């Protein structure tokens, strides 16, 4: 036991000494804030509700056509300002005097079908925002016309709340922060193992009272310890930011098991290939493949962790235990094959 | 040239041997198959939040296609009970959607709305004649540019586009951005192989043998890079061909990007000390380059600053929109410049003593800078350094901007300005500090002269860049803020000189720690920037 702990201690110390682990932590911070900034900031530019809610954008639409058309009310309802004009020429000159941003032309005598025209400014930036915002009223108007044609469209009155941010936090941010350290742990296991091989220090290490399995196990354990420390820090940070996370204990255990899975799988590859270049390549391919297969079999730790985080009724420790079984199997496989290293 | 080809050929042989063992090709094929499978399965579930919502369904309800929903089929009584005990988020009973009024349930309703809307359209489209099912058509037209006084309006050259609102989503650039990202992924993968080849040679000391042969470091780097770069070009051409776009145009757009990514990855094997370093540095490089490439492209057609990234050009290419030489050179020139700089650094750093030493990473970096600057007079190398790192500074600032986007707007400006000030102060002073550390600069007079030259070189590069970008970017106050909007060149020159002079003096003469000296300079520079952007100067 003592030599085992000594190797764990040495590994942790070398990570601390190199300081480059800080880069990995920084990257996670970067990706987390970058993706949330991107998703919540930029995506909202493409979401009509958010554009109108922010109130900073006042879009004025010139309307040419018979009075009392339902589209007029629908546009006002969604927050657009509507100004009626008698002819297109008048509306156009209002456009050039910056009194309206766009013009809608509705021909007279609409019965059950309509072909209207939308005149937009030439600038792509402004016209795409206007198209984004006017999309909602147009769709509703389409449903009004469908109603006149005797078609009953269901589910048109659903409201709800914009869910992007909720979905992002629990299905992207939480899994990413919990599993990225695991991904790094796998890479680190390969590095520290192949480095011993390529620097010819493996034999020296094994002359200590320590088996191959003990040495490999110590390297995996230290990688997992580092990754779980990061997970704890991220969870604390998220809670500090006011994000409610349920089942914290199970989530940490799942993160631990997944870090164990990636490190063991990575080590398995390294034991067979015995050099860094190929091991890392195969490891990244394995990660991608495992993601795909997991999704296919409906057994993805990503789904499990987001369900744990929101406190899903049907998700509990048993779902975590499933991955534990997987880890036990993989560990057994590694223990059986690790002797390849010394032959 | 012959030498380069010989090394390139040797590199190919090495790669063949490495991946030509008996078992590994089978493993690679198997894994690639699994990879294809995963791409295939993930294709349908790109929406985030797979399995996040639970929905109880009873009666005649369309089958959900969105992977966000896990569906239970129940009878109406049980559906209500499940909803009440928070076991499901929404209960769809025929045409009725029942929800609780807590957040999670309302989020689910919104997500449900998107999916059900599509389902209903499919149902209506199938059951009724097209003219009745889609009764509204909208012709999209564009007003031309504002007419001159006394003349009629000029019609826009664009033809009318006829859309059906419920079937035509408004244009968003993301699909094309995603396609453009497909190009970057293989390039990154290939350059990782380039990196590990270098490391391999370094570990088994073959690089030392190569260095003792009568060839230059430049030939070694070029020779080793050639096969990988050609392969990256080939992949680019292949992707362009597969996605039915102009192959030559795609090659022209991505060639500078390939050079840039290879240049960055060249630094990894030269700087690392242990294998773990490589992993971390490579991860950092991948993240930063993808942020640099992808982030600006998100703003294609909404902001001219998008042209910073060559992916914007690719997005334009996929939309069949034209762009000119200036738009092409705007992202490409800085990338080519970075490549040139990295090649120069590489040839200087490729010596046995530098490669094999274990030192703190900061020491390793300063040594690299010393190696680049030490072979000519400081009075030439210092201003040249400040001038030539401008593209790097510019890229770093774009990444900062990307990083800061999630901050509130007020803090965003301050944070970006502070980060920009820090980077500028580092690049202007580091050369002088390193040279002084090696005893090449001693007197206070020399120190101040060098600080002045460094400021001059930096300002020259900065204004040169501003000149180039102003011809492309018209509506970019952010660019003005980042690159100094001062009209009178003397004030910025004096400011740069004072900050750099202070930092180097505090470090070299007053013996302050570099971080502290840098902090003082950055603070002063930040206040100056802040005043300038507030319109004070």
């Amino acid at each position: 036991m003592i030599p085992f702990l000594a190797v764990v201690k040495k590994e942790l110390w070398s990570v601390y000494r190199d300081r480059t682990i800080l880069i990995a932590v920084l990257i996670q911070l970067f990706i987390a804030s970058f993706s949330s900034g991107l998703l919540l900031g930029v995506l909202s530019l493409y979401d009509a509700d958010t554009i109108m809610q922010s109130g900073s954008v006042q879009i004025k639409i010139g309307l040419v056509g018979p009075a009392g058309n339902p589209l007029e009310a629908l546009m006002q309802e969604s927050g657009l300002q509507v100004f009626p004009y008698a002819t297109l020429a008048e509306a156009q000159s209002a456009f050039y005097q910056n009194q309206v941003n766009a013009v809608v032309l509705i021909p007279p005598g609409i019965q059950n079908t309509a072909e209207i025209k939308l005149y937009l400014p030439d600038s792509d930036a402004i016209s795409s925002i206007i198209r984004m915002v006017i999309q909602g009223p147009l769709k509703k108007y389409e449903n009004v016309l469908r109603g006149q044609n005797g078609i009953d469209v269901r589910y048109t009155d659903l409201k709800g709340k914009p869910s992007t941010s909720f979905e992002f936090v629990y299905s992207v941010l939480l899994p990413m922060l919990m599993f990225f350290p695991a991904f790094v742990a796998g890479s680190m296991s390969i590095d520290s193992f192949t480095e011993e091989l390529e620097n010819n220090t493996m034999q020296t290490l094994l002359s200590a009272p320590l088996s191959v399995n003990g040495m490999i196990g110590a390297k995996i354990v230290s990688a997992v310890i580092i990754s779980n420390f990061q997970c704890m820090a991220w969870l604390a940070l998220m809670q500090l930011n006011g994000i409610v996370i349920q089942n914290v204990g199970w989530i940490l255990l799942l993160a631990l098991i997944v870090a164990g899975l990636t490190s063991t799988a990575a080590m398995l590859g390294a034991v067979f290939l015995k050099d860094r270049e190929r091991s890392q390549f195969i490891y990244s391919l394995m990660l991608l493949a495992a993601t795909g297969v997991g999704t296919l079999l409906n057994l993805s730790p990503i789904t499990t962790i987001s369900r744990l985080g929101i406190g899903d009724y049907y998700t509990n420790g048993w779902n975590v235990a499933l991955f534990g079984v997987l880890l036990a199997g993989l560990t057994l496989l590694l223990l059986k094959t690790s002797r390849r290293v010394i032959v | 040239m012959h030498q380069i080809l010989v090394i390139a050929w040797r590199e190919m042989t090495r790669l063949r041997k490495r991946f030509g063992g008996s078992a590994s090709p089978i493993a690679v094929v198997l894994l690639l198959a699994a990879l294809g499978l995963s791409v295939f399965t993930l294709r349908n579930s790109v929406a985030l939040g797979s399995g996040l919502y639970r929905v109880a369904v009873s009666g005649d309800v369309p089958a959900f296609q969105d992977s966000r929903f896990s569906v239970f089929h129940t009878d109406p009584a049980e559906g209500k009970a499940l909803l009440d005990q928070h076991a499901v988020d929404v209960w769809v009973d025929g045409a009725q959607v029942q929800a609780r009024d807590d957040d999670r349930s309302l989020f689910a309703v919104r997500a449900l709305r998107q999916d059900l809307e599509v389902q209903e359209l499919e149902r209506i489209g199938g059951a009724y004649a097209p003219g009745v099912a889609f009764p509204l058509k909208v012709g999209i037209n564009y007003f031309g540019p504002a007419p001159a006084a006394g003349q009629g309006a000029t019609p826009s050259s664009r033809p009318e586009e006829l859309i059906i609102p419920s079937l035509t989503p408004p244009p968003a650039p993301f699909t094309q951005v995603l396609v453009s990202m497909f190009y970057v992924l293989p390039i990154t993968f290939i350059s990782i192989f380039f990196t590990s080849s270098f490391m391999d040679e370094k570990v088994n000391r073959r690089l030392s043998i190569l260095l003792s042969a009568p060839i230059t470091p430049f030939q070694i780097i070029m020779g080793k890079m050639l096969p990988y770069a050609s392969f990256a070009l080939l992949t680019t051409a292949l992707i362009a061909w597969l996605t039915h776009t102009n192959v030559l145009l795609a090659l022209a757009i991505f060639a500078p990007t390939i050079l840039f990514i290879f240049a960055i990855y060249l630094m990894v094997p030269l700087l690392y000390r242990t294998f773990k370093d490589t992993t971390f540095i490579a991860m950092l490089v991948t993240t930063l380059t993808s942020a640099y490439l992808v982030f600006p492209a998100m703003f294609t057609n909404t902001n001219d600053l998008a042209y910073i990234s060559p992916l914007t050009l690719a997005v334009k290419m996929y939309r069949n929109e034209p762009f000119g030489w200036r738009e092409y050179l705007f992202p490409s020139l800085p990338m080519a410049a970075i490549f040139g700089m990295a090649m120069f650094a590489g040839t200087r750093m490729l010596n046995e003593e530098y490669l094999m030493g274990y030192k703190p990473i900061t020491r390793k970096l300063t040594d690299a800078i010393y190696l680049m600057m030490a072979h000519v007079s400081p009075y030439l190398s210092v201003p040249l350094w400040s001038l030539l790192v401008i593209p790097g500074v510019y890229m770093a600032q774009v990444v900062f901007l990307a990083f800061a986007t999630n901050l509130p707007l007020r803090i965003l400006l301050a944070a970006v300005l502070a980060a920009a000030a820090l980077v500028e102060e580092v690049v202007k002073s580091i050369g002088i500090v390193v040279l002084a550390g090696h005893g090449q600069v001693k007197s206070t007079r020399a120190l101040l002269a060098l600080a002045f030259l460094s400021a001059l070189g930096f300002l020259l590069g900065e204004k040169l860049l501003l000149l180039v970008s102003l011809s492309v970017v018209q509506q970019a106050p952010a660019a003005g803020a980042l690159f100094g909007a001062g009209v009178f060149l003397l004030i910025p020159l004096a400011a740069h000189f004072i900050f750099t002079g202070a930092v180097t003096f505090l470090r070299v003469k007053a013996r302050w720690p570099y971080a502290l000296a840098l902090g003082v300079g950055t603070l002063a520079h930040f206040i100056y920037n802040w005043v300038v952007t507030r319109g004070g100067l």
Side-chain angles (χ1 to χ4, degrees), chain B residues 231-473:
Chain B
F231 196 53
L233 280 174
L234 211 68
T235 325
T236 307
L238 192 72
I239 296 176
W241 183 68
L242 285 176
T243 50
H244 306 290
T245 187
N246 189 338
V247 174
L248 284 178
L249 188 60
L251 282 178
I253 291 174
F254 283 102
T257 316
I258 292 174
L259 288 183
F260 167 69
I261 293 181
F262 272 82
I264 305 281
Y265 274 94
L266 173 63
M267 290 295 118
V268 180
L270 295 176
L271 281 174
Y272 91 100
R273 304 153 302 166
T274 63
F275 279 3
K276 278 181 212 125
D277 274 4
T278 327
T279 301
F280 294 136
I281 299 176
M283 276 192 312
L284 178 75
V285 165
T286 315
T287 330
L288 295 186
T289 48
S290 3
Y292 176 75
L293 291 172
V294 176
F295 172 72
M298 295 281 176
F299 296 95
T300 309
N301 287 355
T302 51
N303 192 318
D304 284 342
L305 268 183
Y307 282 112
I308 287 169
S309 160
L311 288 195
T312 302
L313 301 178
V315 170
K316 289 227 154 219
M317 173 178 78
Y318 275 102
R319 288 191 193 161
N320 288 319
E321 289 172 357
F323 55 87
W325 272 107
R326 277 196 303 219
E327 281 88 358
Y328 174 73
L329 290 178
F330 186 50
S332 307
L333 276 182
M335 296 204 150
I338 294 262
F339 175 73
M341 189 81 178
M343 284 305 284
F344 176 67
T347 53
R348 304 294 307 172
M349 288 152 78
L350 203 62
N351 65 67
E352 185 151 9
E353 192 194 336
Y354 181 78
L355 289 180
M356 295 305 177
Y358 182 97
K359 290 170 185 164
I361 195 95
T362 43
R363 186 73 202 281
K364 204 89 176 163
L365 282 170
T366 47
D367 278 2
I369 294 169
Y370 177 73
L371 283 174
M372 287 166 72
M373 301 183 80
H375 66 298
V376 287
S377 151
Y379 293 98
L380 188 63
S381 64
V382 166
L384 260 184
W385 160 266
S386 295
L387 180 78
L388 292 176
V389 289
I390 290 281
V393 172
Y394 161 74
M395 292 187 170
Q397 295 182 346
V398 171
V399 174
F400 280 136
L401 198 62
F403 188 55
T405 39
N406 68 323
L407 299 173
L409 200 64
R410 276 192 71 86
I411 311 173
L412 186 146
L413 189 63
V416 171
L417 284 180
L422 178 67
V423 174
E424 288 180 14
E425 286 314 316
V426 171
V427 299
K428 280 186 299 171
S429 62
I430 185 82
I432 305 171
V433 169
V434 165
L435 286 175
H438 282 83
Q440 298 223 353
V441 184
K442 291 194 179 81
S443 70
T444 312
R445 230 174 91 190
L447 195 75
L448 291 180
L450 284 176
F452 176 76
L453 284 174
S454 175
L456 187 69
F458 190 84
L459 192 75
L460 207 67
E462 195 179 55
K463 293 303 162 194
L464 220 61
L465 191 77
L466 191 66
L467 204 69
V468 178
S469 43
L470 274 185
S471 63
V472 180
V473 182

Side-chain angles (χ1 to χ4, degrees), chain B residues 205-227:
Chain B
R205 306 241 162 188
R206 277 204 211 144
L207 211 52
S208 316
I209 303 171
L210 260 183
L211 281 169
S212 59
I215 38 175
T216 60
F218 177 75
Q219 286 170 327
I220 297 178
I221 297 176
M222 280 310 266
K224 289 181 86 63
M225 199 184 274
L226 193 64

Side-chain angles (χ1 to χ4, degrees), chain A residues 18 20 146 155 161 191 296 307, chain B residues 70 94 103 133 277 279 358:
Chain A
D18 287 350
T20 31
R146 284 192 187 116
Y155 312 117
K161 275 188 181 177
D191 287 339
L296 195 70
R307 282 180 173 166
Chain B
S70 295
D103 277 352
D277 274 4
T279 301
Y358 182 97

